[in-house]
Each structure stands twice: as C-alpha cells, then as structure tokens.
Amino acid sequence: MLKTVDNLFHITSIDKLKQILRDKGFKPSYAEEKVGDKCILVPMISFSNILVRDIGENEVIDYGNSAICFDRKWGISNYLNPVVYSYEDGLIDDAISFFTDSVLLHHELHHFKNILEQNTNNKKGRISEQINLYKIITSQKQKISNEVKDVFDYLGNNYNEELVDVISNYANEIFNRSMGIIALTKKYIVTRKNNDTKVAYNEREWRKLYKDLAIIFEEEYNYKDFTNKQVKPKPHFEEEKYLLRFSINEIKAILVDTENNVIEITNELKEIFGQVIVEELLLKKKLLIGTKDVLESEGF
C-alpha cells in the first residue's frame, strides 16, 4: 500500500500547548501573509501535513518544540484546507495581483460617487487621467487594466447612481466569495522578520479559515494594530463560536522536547479529560505523548 502522511501538526510552544489543551480547542489569530503585490492579515489556525522529523530548530518548521497532532480526516471534517503555493510572476501570483487590484477598485467604487457625478456634470473627459486610481493599491507594479479604466471613464461621463451601486454590489459579492482563494494562497518562498528567506512550500500548510472574519489589507486603518502584539495580543478571537474544538479521542499524538514535559502534559490531560480515559488511550497507543525520537519510532 502506498505510504501517506496523514498527520496534521499544530506547532507551538509548551506554554501555548498547555493552553490549547485547557481550552479543548484552538483560537484563531491574524497571520501576516503576502499575496501578489499585497500584504494582508488572514484570520486562521495553521497546521502542517508533515512528519515529526521536520519539526524543530534548523528543521522545516521552527515555530516551537511542541506540537499536537490530528489525523487529516479530522482536518477535513473541520473544513481545514491545504494552501496553494505561488511564486513571483507565476500564474497564480499574476492572477491574484490582477484580481485584487481590479476588484478592489470596483469594491471601493461607491467612494468615488461624488467625483464621478461632478465629472459627468462638468464634462471633464476621461476620469482615469484625472484622479489617482492607485489610491488603494500598494504597489505600482501591477498596472490597472484598460478594462477597469474603461468602467471608471464611462461612469465618469455617464454618471448613474443606480448603475454604480449595481457594479459595486456585484464587485463586493465577487470580492467576498473569492476571499477564500486569497486566504489560501502563500508565497513559495517567504522573507522572515530577520530578513532571511525560507521555503514555505516544505511546510505543506493547512488552514482553518472563517467566512465571517475579514481579511485585512495593509491599506486599512487597523492593519498595524494587529501586527503589534502590544496593541492586539494573540489570540485575536476569544469567542466560543470561533473555537476549533477537539476531543481527547481525536488527538493522535503530542510532541514535547523533554521527558519532564511528557510527565507534565500527561498529568494535564488526566486533569482536563479524566484519568481513566487518558490512561486507556495511552495503553492502547491510540494517543502518544513523547519526544521527537519517540514519535519518530512510532511512525510519525
């Protein structure tokens, strides 16, 4: 039978792992990403479809030395999705850059109503040559298409409030329904805060997303708040409705970095979920708690 890697690891610190166990679930937070030319904040809970050998300092994922592992079927049942990796000037990168730049303009069309109406009344001609359509675009790299300019130029010479609302509402619908695609796209290679680069593709990331939590683009007023942990500390969403819950029976394995932590986490689990069920799962090896070498020996 073909070997598959069915693990979904959430990698973290030992203290955060304890909190996840106490909450019996995960709380989403904003993560900084870059898609196309834009920096965005995506509300998510992140997992990686990898082997335990890839976790740790100088390994594929170095976010912490502790982790909790679930089966991929658990992830699918909870609507986790694998990300799509892109690279600069690739097909996906180009398509998303075009989409965000074009649809964002139409998404913001209602803000241009007064300008469009005045331009029509004063018969000033092509509005795309008179106002800064780049005002909500981060990078000048992606040019605004002629088709987008044509929409603004037509409305700027034939202003009709109802038509503006129809186009804006339609763009909003496309924008909102397409956010999942944007939220599930990640750069193949990312630049980290210390300016070194990392091949993110190797992480084989899966994400839990939330339809009712907005993606924040860097142009928005509250973008910096969520990148400053002192202003908005993680987790960003504490409400019960956003908690990604799990039962003790759904945990496949827990990774820790010392034998003392094995004992500590085992005791935590007994206190939270009950001694009898935890001991039974450990005895039947339906739940494993161990250091990296122990989990590797068990096929993780």
Side-chain angles (χ1 to χ4, degrees):
M1 184 176 177
L2 186 65
K3 185 175 180 180
T4 60
V5 179
D6 289 326
N7 308 325
L8 286 178
F9 280 101
H10 178 82
I11 299 94
T12 187
S13 66
I14 187 66
D15 289 337
K16 290 180 180 177
L17 172 61
K18 290 176 183 177
Q19 190 59 57
I20 289 168
L21 295 174
R22 293 184 196 119
D23 291 336
K24 299 181 183 178
F26 302 88
K27 296 174 181 177
S29 286
Y30 278 112
E32 295 179 71
E33 300 291 341
K34 188 171 183 180
V35 293
D37 298 330
K38 291 187 177 294
C39 293
I40 62 174
L41 292 173
V42 180
M44 71 169 86
I45 304 165
S46 179
F47 297 80
S48 289
N49 177 218
I50 56 171
L51 293 171
V52 73
R53 70 185 184 196
D54 296 321
I55 301 171
E57 190 175 355
N58 299 320
E59 299 293 348
V60 170
I61 297 182
D62 58 356
Y63 303 143
N65 292 318
S66 301
I68 182 169
C69 178
F70 299 86
D71 192 85
R72 188 162 45 189
K73 289 181 180 178
W74 173 86
I76 293 171
S77 70
N78 284 283
Y79 304 102
L80 275 66
N81 284 276
V83 307
V84 177
Y85 291 92
S86 67
Y87 53 87
E88 190 171 357
D89 297 327
L91 289 173
I92 295 174
D93 202 61
D94 180 67
I96 286 182
S97 292
F98 179 83
F99 169 80
T100 54
D101 290 347
S102 298
V103 176
L104 272 174
L105 276 169
H106 289 100
H107 177 65
E108 296 289 323
L109 187 60
H110 59 283
H111 292 312
F112 291 93
K113 279 186 175 181
N114 289 337
I115 298 172
L116 294 169
E117 185 174 17
Q118 290 173 16
N119 196 80
T120 297
N121 293 337
N122 297 325
K123 299 181 180 180
K124 289 186 175 180
R126 292 177 64 85
I127 198 167
S128 63
E129 297 174 355
Q130 300 170 46
I131 65 172
N132 183 14
L133 293 180
Y134 288 103
K135 64 177 288 188
I136 62 166
I137 297 179
T138 304
S139 171
Q140 301 287 325
K141 178 183 173 183
Q142 179 68 45
K143 294 181 179 179
I144 296 175
S145 70
N146 290 330
E147 289 79 8
V148 172
K149 290 180 182 178
D150 287 344
V151 171
F152 277 81
D153 288 336
Y154 178 82
L155 294 173
N157 284 289
N158 304 274
Y159 179 73
N160 179 298
E161 185 174 11
E162 184 178 357
L163 180 58
V164 170
D165 288 337
V166 167
I167 294 174
S168 184
N169 291 338
Y170 179 56
N172 282 331
E173 186 67 13
I174 296 173
F175 178 81
N176 292 331
R177 288 182 178 270
S178 301
M179 283 300 98
I181 298 171
I182 292 175
L184 287 170
T185 303
K186 189 177 183 73
K187 292 288 188 183
Y188 166 79
I189 295 177
V190 297
T191 302
R192 304 203 288 185
K193 290 182 179 178
N194 58 3
N195 288 324
D196 69 338
T197 57
K198 180 178 182 179
V199 181
Y201 174 80
N202 294 336
E203 297 180 5
R204 297 174 65 177
E205 186 181 359
W206 286 54
R207 292 176 179 173
K208 170 66 175 178
L209 302 175
Y210 294 83
K211 289 182 179 179
D212 59 335
L213 295 178
I215 292 175
I216 300 177
F217 287 77
E218 62 184 322
E219 300 87 357
E220 297 182 55
Y221 73 95
N222 55 345
Y223 183 90
K224 290 184 178 179
D225 289 346
F226 286 100
T227 58
N228 186 336
K229 292 181 181 179
Q230 293 180 335
V231 177
K232 300 279 189 181
K234 292 185 177 183
H236 293 133
F237 300 95
E238 300 271 2
E239 298 92 329
E240 170 67 27
K241 65 179 179 178
Y242 297 127
L243 194 66
L244 175 57
R245 286 202 172 274
F246 56 80
S247 69
I248 184 65
N249 297 296
E250 292 171 318
I251 305 172
K252 288 178 67 175
I254 295 176
L255 169 69
V256 292
D257 59 350
T258 68
E259 289 297 331
N260 285 338
N261 283 336
V262 172
I263 297 170
E264 197 173 346
I265 290 297
T266 302
N267 290 335
E268 286 268 3
L269 288 174
K270 289 178 180 178
E271 184 178 337
I272 296 165
F273 295 99
Q275 181 173 341
V276 173
I277 188 171
V278 171
E279 288 181 349
E280 182 180 355
L281 290 170
L282 291 171
L283 181 64
K284 294 180 179 180
K285 287 193 171 183
K286 291 185 177 180
L287 168 64
L288 293 173
I289 306 170
T291 55
K292 191 171 179 178
D293 56 334
V294 170
L295 294 191
E296 281 191 75
S297 69
E298 294 291 340
F300 282 89

PDB file of all heavy atoms in Angstrom, residues 99-122:
ATOM      1  N   PHE A  99      -6.500  40.311  -9.844  1.00  0.00           N
ATOM      2  CA  PHE A  99      -7.810  40.243  -9.195  1.00  0.00           C
ATOM      3  C   PHE A  99      -7.918  41.273  -8.078  1.00  0.00           C
ATOM      4  O   PHE A  99      -8.890  42.034  -8.012  1.00  0.00           O
ATOM      5  CB  PHE A  99      -8.051  38.845  -8.625  1.00  0.00           C
ATOM      6  CG  PHE A  99      -9.249  38.775  -7.728  1.00  0.00           C
ATOM      7  CD1 PHE A  99     -10.524  38.693  -8.252  1.00  0.00           C
ATOM      8  CD2 PHE A  99      -9.099  38.809  -6.351  1.00  0.00           C
ATOM      9  CE1 PHE A  99     -11.637  38.655  -7.428  1.00  0.00           C
ATOM     10  CE2 PHE A  99     -10.201  38.770  -5.513  1.00  0.00           C
ATOM     11  CZ  PHE A  99     -11.469  38.692  -6.062  1.00  0.00           C
ATOM     12  N   THR A 100      -6.942  41.293  -7.170  1.00  0.00           N
ATOM     13  CA  THR A 100      -7.030  42.195  -6.024  1.00  0.00           C
ATOM     14  C   THR A 100      -7.013  43.648  -6.460  1.00  0.00           C
ATOM     15  O   THR A 100      -7.784  44.472  -5.960  1.00  0.00           O
ATOM     16  CB  THR A 100      -5.897  41.936  -5.012  1.00  0.00           C
ATOM     17  OG1 THR A 100      -4.632  42.010  -5.680  1.00  0.00           O
ATOM     18  CG2 THR A 100      -6.052  40.582  -4.360  1.00  0.00           C
ATOM     19  N   ASP A 101      -6.161  43.981  -7.425  1.00  0.00           N
ATOM     20  CA  ASP A 101      -6.084  45.365  -7.874  1.00  0.00           C
ATOM     21  C   ASP A 101      -7.347  45.790  -8.612  1.00  0.00           C
ATOM     22  O   ASP A 101      -7.846  46.908  -8.426  1.00  0.00           O
ATOM     23  CB  ASP A 101      -4.863  45.570  -8.776  1.00  0.00           C
ATOM     24  CG  ASP A 101      -3.562  45.487  -7.994  1.00  0.00           C
ATOM     25  OD1 ASP A 101      -3.620  45.512  -6.751  1.00  0.00           O
ATOM     26  OD2 ASP A 101      -2.500  45.401  -8.616  1.00  0.00           O
ATOM     27  N   SER A 102      -7.887  44.912  -9.438  1.00  0.00           N
ATOM     28  CA  SER A 102      -9.068  45.269 -10.227  1.00  0.00           C
ATOM     29  C   SER A 102     -10.340  45.256  -9.394  1.00  0.00           C
ATOM     30  O   SER A 102     -11.120  46.211  -9.401  1.00  0.00           O
ATOM     31  CB  SER A 102      -9.219  44.297 -11.401  1.00  0.00           C
ATOM     32  OG  SER A 102      -8.101  44.380 -12.257  1.00  0.00           O
ATOM     33  N   VAL A 103     -10.567  44.171  -8.676  1.00  0.00           N
ATOM     34  CA  VAL A 103     -11.810  44.048  -7.918  1.00  0.00           C
ATOM     35  C   VAL A 103     -11.829  45.008  -6.735  1.00  0.00           C
ATOM     36  O   VAL A 103     -12.872  45.539  -6.379  1.00  0.00           O
ATOM     37  CB  VAL A 103     -12.023  42.587  -7.447  1.00  0.00           C
ATOM     38  CG1 VAL A 103     -13.257  42.480  -6.567  1.00  0.00           C
ATOM     39  CG2 VAL A 103     -12.174  41.675  -8.651  1.00  0.00           C
ATOM     40  N   LEU A 104     -10.649  45.254  -6.133  1.00  0.00           N
ATOM     41  CA  LEU A 104     -10.625  46.200  -5.021  1.00  0.00           C
ATOM     42  C   LEU A 104     -11.085  47.584  -5.466  1.00  0.00           C
ATOM     43  O   LEU A 104     -11.772  48.292  -4.719  1.00  0.00           O
ATOM     44  CB  LEU A 104      -9.219  46.289  -4.423  1.00  0.00           C
ATOM     45  CG  LEU A 104      -8.900  45.270  -3.323  1.00  0.00           C
ATOM     46  CD1 LEU A 104      -7.441  45.369  -2.919  1.00  0.00           C
ATOM     47  CD2 LEU A 104      -9.797  45.454  -2.116  1.00  0.00           C
ATOM     48  N   LEU A 105     -10.733  47.975  -6.665  1.00  0.00           N
ATOM     49  CA  LEU A 105     -11.176  49.274  -7.168  1.00  0.00           C
ATOM     50  C   LEU A 105     -12.692  49.309  -7.308  1.00  0.00           C
ATOM     51  O   LEU A 105     -13.350  50.259  -6.896  1.00  0.00           O
ATOM     52  CB  LEU A 105     -10.509  49.584  -8.512  1.00  0.00           C
ATOM     53  CG  LEU A 105      -9.110  50.193  -8.410  1.00  0.00           C
ATOM     54  CD1 LEU A 105      -8.441  50.216  -9.763  1.00  0.00           C
ATOM     55  CD2 LEU A 105      -9.184  51.605  -7.830  1.00  0.00           C
ATOM     56  N   HIS A 106     -13.264  48.265  -7.901  1.00  0.00           N
ATOM     57  CA  HIS A 106     -14.720  48.217  -8.034  1.00  0.00           C
ATOM     58  C   HIS A 106     -15.387  48.054  -6.664  1.00  0.00           C
ATOM     59  O   HIS A 106     -16.479  48.578  -6.428  1.00  0.00           O
ATOM     60  CB  HIS A 106     -15.131  47.070  -8.959  1.00  0.00           C
ATOM     61  CG  HIS A 106     -14.779  47.325 -10.388  1.00  0.00           C
ATOM     62  ND1 HIS A 106     -13.665  46.776 -10.984  1.00  0.00           N
ATOM     63  CD2 HIS A 106     -15.371  48.087 -11.335  1.00  0.00           C
ATOM     64  CE1 HIS A 106     -13.600  47.182 -12.249  1.00  0.00           C
ATOM     65  NE2 HIS A 106     -14.624  47.971 -12.480  1.00  0.00           N
ATOM     66  N   HIS A 107     -14.721  47.327  -5.785  1.00  0.00           N
ATOM     67  CA  HIS A 107     -15.199  47.139  -4.421  1.00  0.00           C
ATOM     68  C   HIS A 107     -15.322  48.489  -3.703  1.00  0.00           C
ATOM     69  O   HIS A 107     -16.206  48.691  -2.874  1.00  0.00           O
ATOM     70  CB  HIS A 107     -14.188  46.230  -3.698  1.00  0.00           C
ATOM     71  CG  HIS A 107     -14.483  45.980  -2.265  1.00  0.00           C
ATOM     72  ND1 HIS A 107     -15.583  45.292  -1.815  1.00  0.00           N
ATOM     73  CD2 HIS A 107     -13.783  46.310  -1.151  1.00  0.00           C
ATOM     74  CE1 HIS A 107     -15.561  45.219  -0.504  1.00  0.00           C
ATOM     75  NE2 HIS A 107     -14.483  45.827  -0.067  1.00  0.00           N
ATOM     76  N   GLU A 108     -14.443  49.412  -4.068  1.00  0.00           N
ATOM     77  CA  GLU A 108     -14.436  50.745  -3.455  1.00  0.00           C
ATOM     78  C   GLU A 108     -15.158  51.791  -4.313  1.00  0.00           C
ATOM     79  O   GLU A 108     -15.103  52.983  -4.022  1.00  0.00           O
ATOM     80  CB  GLU A 108     -12.980  51.198  -3.255  1.00  0.00           C
ATOM     81  CG  GLU A 108     -12.187  50.339  -2.291  1.00  0.00           C
ATOM     82  CD  GLU A 108     -12.630  50.536  -0.857  1.00  0.00           C
ATOM     83  OE1 GLU A 108     -12.959  51.684  -0.501  1.00  0.00           O
ATOM     84  OE2 GLU A 108     -12.669  49.549  -0.097  1.00  0.00           O
ATOM     85  N   LEU A 109     -15.848  51.349  -5.343  1.00  0.00           N
ATOM     86  CA  LEU A 109     -16.435  52.261  -6.321  1.00  0.00           C
ATOM     87  C   LEU A 109     -17.376  53.290  -5.691  1.00  0.00           C
ATOM     88  O   LEU A 109     -17.413  54.453  -6.111  1.00  0.00           O
ATOM     89  CB  LEU A 109     -17.187  51.446  -7.378  1.00  0.00           C
ATOM     90  CG  LEU A 109     -17.743  52.200  -8.592  1.00  0.00           C
ATOM     91  CD1 LEU A 109     -16.630  52.890  -9.369  1.00  0.00           C
ATOM     92  CD2 LEU A 109     -18.504  51.225  -9.500  1.00  0.00           C
ATOM     93  N   HIS A 110     -18.111  52.877  -4.666  1.00  0.00           N
ATOM     94  CA  HIS A 110     -19.073  53.794  -4.060  1.00  0.00           C
ATOM     95  C   HIS A 110     -18.407  55.014  -3.433  1.00  0.00           C
ATOM     96  O   HIS A 110     -19.031  56.053  -3.261  1.00  0.00           O
ATOM     97  CB  HIS A 110     -19.924  53.058  -3.020  1.00  0.00           C
ATOM     98  CG  HIS A 110     -19.139  52.441  -1.903  1.00  0.00           C
ATOM     99  ND1 HIS A 110     -18.428  51.260  -2.063  1.00  0.00           N
ATOM    100  CD2 HIS A 110     -18.948  52.840  -0.624  1.00  0.00           C
ATOM    101  CE1 HIS A 110     -17.842  50.969  -0.921  1.00  0.00           C
ATOM    102  NE2 HIS A 110     -18.128  51.901  -0.035  1.00  0.00           N
ATOM    103  N   HIS A 111     -17.100  54.875  -3.102  1.00  0.00           N
ATOM    104  CA  HIS A 111     -16.383  56.022  -2.531  1.00  0.00           C
ATOM    105  C   HIS A 111     -16.105  57.109  -3.581  1.00  0.00           C
ATOM    106  O   HIS A 111     -15.767  58.235  -3.228  1.00  0.00           O
ATOM    107  CB  HIS A 111     -15.056  55.571  -1.915  1.00  0.00           C
ATOM    108  CG  HIS A 111     -15.218  54.729  -0.687  1.00  0.00           C
ATOM    109  ND1 HIS A 111     -16.058  55.076   0.350  1.00  0.00           N
ATOM    110  CD2 HIS A 111     -14.655  53.546  -0.333  1.00  0.00           C
ATOM    111  CE1 HIS A 111     -16.004  54.153   1.293  1.00  0.00           C
ATOM    112  NE2 HIS A 111     -15.161  53.212   0.900  1.00  0.00           N
ATOM    113  N   PHE A 112     -16.225  56.756  -4.847  1.00  0.00           N
ATOM    114  CA  PHE A 112     -15.933  57.695  -5.934  1.00  0.00           C
ATOM    115  C   PHE A 112     -17.187  58.403  -6.456  1.00  0.00           C
ATOM    116  O   PHE A 112     -17.117  59.139  -7.427  1.00  0.00           O
ATOM    117  CB  PHE A 112     -15.261  56.959  -7.102  1.00  0.00           C
ATOM    118  CG  PHE A 112     -13.873  56.471  -6.818  1.00  0.00           C
ATOM    119  CD1 PHE A 112     -13.668  55.181  -6.344  1.00  0.00           C
ATOM    120  CD2 PHE A 112     -12.771  57.285  -7.023  1.00  0.00           C
ATOM    121  CE1 PHE A 112     -12.392  54.722  -6.094  1.00  0.00           C
ATOM    122  CE2 PHE A 112     -11.493  56.829  -6.773  1.00  0.00           C
ATOM    123  CZ  PHE A 112     -11.293  55.548  -6.304  1.00  0.00           C
ATOM    124  N   LYS A 113     -18.338  58.167  -5.812  1.00  0.00           N
ATOM    125  CA  LYS A 113     -19.605  58.673  -6.354  1.00  0.00           C
ATOM    126  C   LYS A 113     -19.576  60.175  -6.633  1.00  0.00           C
ATOM    127  O   LYS A 113     -19.952  60.618  -7.729  1.00  0.00           O
ATOM    128  CB  LYS A 113     -20.752  58.346  -5.396  1.00  0.00           C
ATOM    129  CG  LYS A 113     -21.283  56.932  -5.525  1.00  0.00           C
ATOM    130  CD  LYS A 113     -22.508  56.757  -4.635  1.00  0.00           C
ATOM    131  CE  LYS A 113     -23.145  55.391  -4.842  1.00  0.00           C
ATOM    132  NZ  LYS A 113     -24.360  55.218  -4.005  1.00  0.00           N
ATOM    133  N   ASN A 114     -19.169  60.950  -5.653  1.00  0.00           N
ATOM    134  CA  ASN A 114     -19.175  62.412  -5.823  1.00  0.00           C
ATOM    135  C   ASN A 114     -18.276  62.852  -6.970  1.00  0.00           C
ATOM    136  O   ASN A 114     -18.637  63.715  -7.782  1.00  0.00           O
ATOM    137  CB  ASN A 114     -18.736  63.109  -4.526  1.00  0.00           C
ATOM    138  CG  ASN A 114     -19.784  62.998  -3.440  1.00  0.00           C
ATOM    139  OD1 ASN A 114     -20.964  62.794  -3.726  1.00  0.00           O
ATOM    140  ND2 ASN A 114     -19.363  63.109  -2.193  1.00  0.00           N
ATOM    141  N   ILE A 115     -17.109  62.243  -7.060  1.00  0.00           N
ATOM    142  CA  ILE A 115     -16.160  62.595  -8.118  1.00  0.00           C
ATOM    143  C   ILE A 115     -16.722  62.226  -9.488  1.00  0.00           C
ATOM    144  O   ILE A 115     -16.626  62.999 -10.451  1.00  0.00           O
ATOM    145  CB  ILE A 115     -14.805  61.900  -7.890  1.00  0.00           C
ATOM    146  CG1 ILE A 115     -14.187  62.372  -6.571  1.00  0.00           C
ATOM    147  CG2 ILE A 115     -13.849  62.147  -9.044  1.00  0.00           C
ATOM    148  CD1 ILE A 115     -12.944  61.621  -6.158  1.00  0.00           C
ATOM    149  N   LEU A 116     -17.321  61.031  -9.570  1.00  0.00           N
ATOM    150  CA  LEU A 116     -17.901  60.585 -10.838  1.00  0.00           C
ATOM    151  C   LEU A 116     -19.046  61.501 -11.274  1.00  0.00           C
ATOM    152  O   LEU A 116     -19.157  61.867 -12.455  1.00  0.00           O
ATOM    153  CB  LEU A 116     -18.401  59.143 -10.704  1.00  0.00           C
ATOM    154  CG  LEU A 116     -17.340  58.057 -10.478  1.00  0.00           C
ATOM    155  CD1 LEU A 116     -17.996  56.741 -10.088  1.00  0.00           C
ATOM    156  CD2 LEU A 116     -16.490  57.871 -11.732  1.00  0.00           C
ATOM    157  N   GLU A 117     -19.896  61.882 -10.328  1.00  0.00           N
ATOM    158  CA  GLU A 117     -21.031  62.747 -10.651  1.00  0.00           C
ATOM    159  C   GLU A 117     -20.555  64.130 -11.094  1.00  0.00           C
ATOM    160  O   GLU A 117     -21.045  64.680 -12.094  1.00  0.00           O
ATOM    161  CB  GLU A 117     -21.949  62.876  -9.444  1.00  0.00           C
ATOM    162  CG  GLU A 117     -23.223  63.669  -9.728  1.00  0.00           C
ATOM    163  CD  GLU A 117     -24.183  63.669  -8.555  1.00  0.00           C
ATOM    164  OE1 GLU A 117     -23.735  63.348  -7.425  1.00  0.00           O
ATOM    165  OE2 GLU A 117     -25.368  63.988  -8.767  1.00  0.00           O
ATOM    166  N   GLN A 118     -19.591  64.698 -10.384  1.00  0.00           N
ATOM    167  CA  GLN A 118     -19.065  66.020 -10.745  1.00  0.00           C
ATOM    168  C   GLN A 118     -18.396  65.994 -12.103  1.00  0.00           C
ATOM    169  O   GLN A 118     -18.534  66.936 -12.900  1.00  0.00           O
ATOM    170  CB  GLN A 118     -18.072  66.490  -9.675  1.00  0.00           C
ATOM    171  CG  GLN A 118     -18.716  66.856  -8.348  1.00  0.00           C
ATOM    172  CD  GLN A 118     -17.683  67.154  -7.274  1.00  0.00           C
ATOM    173  OE1 GLN A 118     -16.509  67.367  -7.570  1.00  0.00           O
ATOM    174  NE2 GLN A 118     -18.118  67.173  -6.018  1.00  0.00           N
ATOM    175  N   ASN A 119     -17.686  64.911 -12.369  1.00  0.00           N
ATOM    176  CA  ASN A 119     -17.004  64.803 -13.657  1.00  0.00           C
ATOM    177  C   ASN A 119     -18.007  64.749 -14.803  1.00  0.00           C
ATOM    178  O   ASN A 119     -17.800  65.349 -15.861  1.00  0.00           O
ATOM    179  CB  ASN A 119     -16.118  63.554 -13.675  1.00  0.00           C
ATOM    180  CG  ASN A 119     -15.106  63.572 -14.805  1.00  0.00           C
ATOM    181  OD1 ASN A 119     -14.073  64.214 -14.711  1.00  0.00           O
ATOM    182  ND2 ASN A 119     -15.401  62.871 -15.901  1.00  0.00           N
ATOM    183  N   THR A 120     -19.108  64.036 -14.592  1.00  0.00           N
ATOM    184  CA  THR A 120     -20.166  63.959 -15.605  1.00  0.00           C
ATOM    185  C   THR A 120     -20.808  65.336 -15.818  1.00  0.00           C
ATOM    186  O   THR A 120     -20.994  65.776 -16.964  1.00  0.00           O
ATOM    187  CB  THR A 120     -21.243  62.939 -15.189  1.00  0.00           C
ATOM    188  OG1 THR A 120     -20.652  61.641 -15.118  1.00  0.00           O
ATOM    189  CG2 THR A 120     -22.390  62.912 -16.193  1.00  0.00           C
ATOM    190  N   ASN A 121     -21.137  66.010 -14.729  1.00  0.00           N
ATOM    191  CA  ASN A 121     -21.790  67.326 -14.815  1.00  0.00           C
ATOM    192  C   ASN A 121     -20.899  68.363 -15.481  1.00  0.00           C
ATOM    193  O   ASN A 121     -21.376  69.228 -16.236  1.00  0.00           O
ATOM    194  CB  ASN A 121     -22.199  67.802 -13.425  1.00  0.00           C
ATOM    195  CG  ASN A 121     -23.299  66.950 -12.818  1.00  0.00           C
ATOM    196  OD1 ASN A 121     -24.048  66.288 -13.535  1.00  0.00           O
ATOM    197  ND2 ASN A 121     -23.403  66.942 -11.491  1.00  0.00           N
ATOM    198  N   ASN A 122     -19.615  68.284 -15.218  1.00  0.00           N
ATOM    199  CA  ASN A 122     -18.673  69.284 -15.749  1.00  0.00           C
ATOM    200  C   ASN A 122     -18.036  68.873 -17.072  1.00  0.00           C
ATOM    201  O   ASN A 122     -17.242  69.627 -17.642  1.00  0.00           O
ATOM    202  CB  ASN A 122     -17.579  69.572 -14.721  1.00  0.00           C
ATOM    203  CG  ASN A 122     -18.130  70.171 -13.444  1.00  0.00           C
ATOM    204  OD1 ASN A 122     -19.089  70.938 -13.492  1.00  0.00           O
ATOM    205  ND2 ASN A 122     -17.539  69.833 -12.312  1.00  0.00           N
TER     206      ASN A 122
END
